[in-house]
Amino acid sequence: VTAEIALRIVALDGPPADDDGDLLDASERRRAHNMRSAAARTRFVRARVALRRLVADVTRVDISTVQIETTPLGCPWLPRQPDIHVSVSHTTDLAVVAVANSPVGIDVERLDRERLPPPQAWMTASEQQTIDALDATERPRALIRLWTTKEAAAKALGLGLLAPLKAVRVNGDRATYVGADEERVAISLCDLDVDDFHVVSAAMISVAPLHVIRNLPDRSPSSPATCSTTG
Amino acid sequence: MTDDIRRLVIDAVLGVAPEVDADAIATDADMQDELDLDSMDMLNIITALSEQFEIDIPERDYGRLRTVDGAVAYLIERTGALVQ
């Protein structure tokens, strides 16, 4: 048994399509309008449109009927399709959108990202030891990878962008979230190889291994799954 | 005191995002949307404020620092509590 995630990766450089803005609803257009940075506005619009298109393709509904709201903690959700779960992440040049039938989280970072927060702000002692034991040449990528893994897990938990990352304890392709009341949630993880410049991680509230369907073509059967952690 | 703390919060933001125009920051707006900051930026800002004010900012309080005004109110509350 596997837990499936449909995922699409979209380059953000280049001009947006003419109809991108038309695909957003009034609240999304208002949110985009309020962003001071034109670059941020473009990224938001293109990522939202990509998510809307993926939802329409996976669930086989007309794109105009897809409604995306945002929780108070900043996580997107679908009020008209409450059994479908979504996540979105972007860097300056790449967006990743995901759709699944269980709570899902996705995160992308550039490998050259600098100034990670100090370890004690987001890593457990065990995770720090694991990172410290690595060869110096492996450490930068492993740090970014651990960050994206925790961020993806936090998004799957619905905790948003200011989540308690130390409460997400990563162990290989599994993580456990330990809440303030000692509640524990099992999370499955998947690291994706995209290119030489980005790291992408996916997470799902599930005990089953993840099966990630990448770059699902528009309106066609699923392409073969590729996931670095499933056989 | 409020203005001093607001200046320190904005300095912390500029330390993470030096390209931001300090005079143009809407202090009641969500920093992530308004200033195009992500979660890593926000955690770096929170860490900088924690060091600057010499207080521990628990993860459960992070949501109160989403805006400059929210961060100022939080820091006044926390530093006031320390004075008492």
Side-chain angles (χ1 to χ4, degrees):
Chain A
V1 176
T2 57
E4 280 196 347
I5 300 174
L7 179 147
R8 199 170 275 160
I9 297 168
V10 182
L12 293 178
D13 41 8
D18 290 341
D19 64 345
D20 275 1
D22 298 337
L23 292 173
L24 301 186
D25 65 25
S27 68
E28 289 171 320
R29 281 199 290 270
R30 189 164 51 248
R31 184 174 168 190
H33 177 76
N34 288 337
M35 293 178 178
R36 183 172 303 144
S37 156
R41 191 159 48 244
T42 299
R43 288 196 291 271
F44 171 77
V45 169
R46 297 186 74 176
R48 273 300 175 101
V49 169
L51 179 59
R52 200 174 284 274
R53 287 199 168 111
L54 183 60
V55 171
D57 290 342
V58 169
T59 64
R60 298 187 178 272
V61 299
D62 188 280
I63 192 168
S64 65
T65 68
V66 176
Q67 185 181 359
I68 305 172
E69 299 283 347
T70 304
T71 69
L73 291 176
C75 297
W77 67 288
L78 308 175
R80 292 181 183 168
Q81 297 161 285
D83 295 332
I84 304 297
H85 300 265
V86 296
S87 187
V88 59
S89 179
H90 61 75
T91 60
T92 53
D93 58 349
L94 203 71
V96 185
V97 295
V99 175
N101 56 8
S102 291
V104 62
I106 197 84
D107 196 58
V108 56
E109 286 289 350
R110 285 188 59 88
L111 274 167
D112 59 3
R113 180 78 189 246
E114 297 177 335
R115 292 170 49 98
L116 268 70
Q120 66 273 17
W122 62 282
M123 293 163 61
T124 66
S126 168
E127 290 160 355
Q128 284 188 55
Q129 287 172 0
T130 301
I131 294 288
D132 290 345
L134 295 174
D135 185 89
T137 58
E138 299 174 325
R139 214 171 290 150
R141 187 184 185 102
L143 272 170
I144 296 280
R145 174 67 77 191
L146 182 60
W147 176 272
T148 57
T149 297
K150 285 180 170 244
E151 280 283 296
K155 290 180 180 178
L157 289 158
L159 297 176
L161 296 175
L162 283 172
L165 296 183
K166 285 169 76 173
V168 177
R169 300 174 183 175
V170 176
N171 184 9
D173 60 359
R174 295 278 190 278
T176 303
Y177 170 72
V178 183
D181 55 359
E182 292 301 311
E183 169 207 17
R184 289 171 181 264
V185 180
I187 302 161
S188 286
L189 307 168
C190 180
D191 295 332
L192 299 156
D193 290 322
V194 178
D195 56 29
D196 292 336
F197 309 102
H198 301 85
V199 167
V200 174
S201 294
M204 203 161 166
I205 307 301
S206 169
V207 294
L210 296 194
H211 179 86
V212 177
I213 303 165
R214 281 174 59 171
N215 289 336
L216 183 75
D218 291 358
R219 302 286 186 190
S220 65
S222 302
S223 58
T226 51
C227 177
S228 57
T229 62
T230 55
Chain B
M1 180 181 179
T2 301
D3 288 344
D4 292 341
I5 293 179
R6 182 175 292 110
R7 170 48 56 191
L8 291 171
V9 170
I10 291 173
D11 284 348
V13 173
L14 295 177
V16 171
E19 71 282 4
V20 167
D21 177 0
D23 295 331
I25 294 176
T27 57
D28 60 345
D30 186 300
M31 282 190 269
Q32 289 179 322
D33 271 1
E34 163 80 4
L35 306 177
D36 194 22
L37 304 180
D38 65 12
S39 49
M40 197 182 290
D41 296 324
M42 291 300 294
L43 188 52
N44 275 322
I45 290 169
I46 290 169
T47 302
L49 292 172
S50 175
E51 292 173 358
Q52 172 78 39
F53 288 85
E54 299 182 336
I55 58 171
D56 175 51
I57 302 177
E59 291 177 318
R60 64 175 177 275
D61 290 346
Y62 286 179
R64 297 180 61 186
L65 292 92
R66 293 179 68 99
T67 67
V68 170
D69 288 346
V72 170
Y74 177 79
L75 292 166
I76 288 174
E77 180 183 311
R78 289 294 311 278
T79 53
L82 285 176
V83 169
Q84 291 166 10

